Amino acid sequence: VQLQASGGGLVQAGDSLRLSCAASGRIFSRYFMGWFRQAPGKERELVSYISWSGQNTYYTNSVKGRFTISADNAKNVVYLQMNSLKPEDTAVYYCATTASKPEWLKGYGNWGQGTQVTVSS
């Protein structure tokens, strides 16, 4: 599986962005897709994940109510709609897949190249 993330950019606080993660290769229904982010000097953190069925989702507390993850199985694309962006959302955002429990961060692989999100105040 190869993943390609896109959709990042430079926006102002309060604006919105939609990130896309396009997957090529064989995707199994049991897979989860996760969005991670890494800010300068900080560890990579799990922002959100979704099962390919779309039935199971997770959001880290800091993005709840602002970010929405969704999956388009027909296109093999997972989206992360980010609304009400804040400067602290500034980071490189990555997508990755796992066939393990989605809470087990070391199980994620097939990392995409990352897309930069910069939110100015």
Side-chain angles (χ1 to χ4, degrees):
V1 176
Q2 291 185 326
L3 305 177
Q4 184 168 359
S6 62
L10 172 62
V11 298
Q12 294 185 334
D15 286 349
S16 298
L17 280 174
R18 188 178 77 162
L19 305 184
S20 299
C21 180
S24 60
R26 192 170 183 181
I27 306 296
F28 293 95
S29 59
R30 67 179 185 274
Y31 282 14
F32 285 80
M33 178 72 78
W35 278 104
F36 292 75
R37 66 186 180 187
Q38 187 166 21
K42 295 187 177 181
E43 292 186 354
R44 188 173 297 185
E45 67 166 333
L46 175 63
V47 175
S48 178
Y49 65 68
I50 188 169
S51 58
W52 272 106
S53 68
Q55 292 182 342
N56 297 304
T57 60
Y58 161 86
Y59 300 94
T60 193
N61 285 337
S62 62
V63 308
K64 283 181 181 177
R66 300 189 297 122
F67 290 11
T68 303
I69 193 169
S70 61
D72 185 333
N73 301 97
K75 296 181 179 180
N76 273 3
V77 179
V78 171
Y79 302 101
L80 186 67
Q81 178 66 44
M82 307 187 296
N83 298 329
S84 302
L85 283 162
K86 303 176 180 181
E88 50 263 43
D89 294 318
T90 295
V92 178
Y93 284 70
Y94 301 88
C95 53
T97 59
T98 182
S100 304
K101 291 183 178 180
E103 300 85 0
W104 188 50
L105 304 187
K106 292 184 178 181
Y108 283 90
N110 302 313
W111 293 90
Q113 83 285 4
T115 185
Q116 176 71 47
V117 172
T118 303
V119 184
S120 64
S121 58

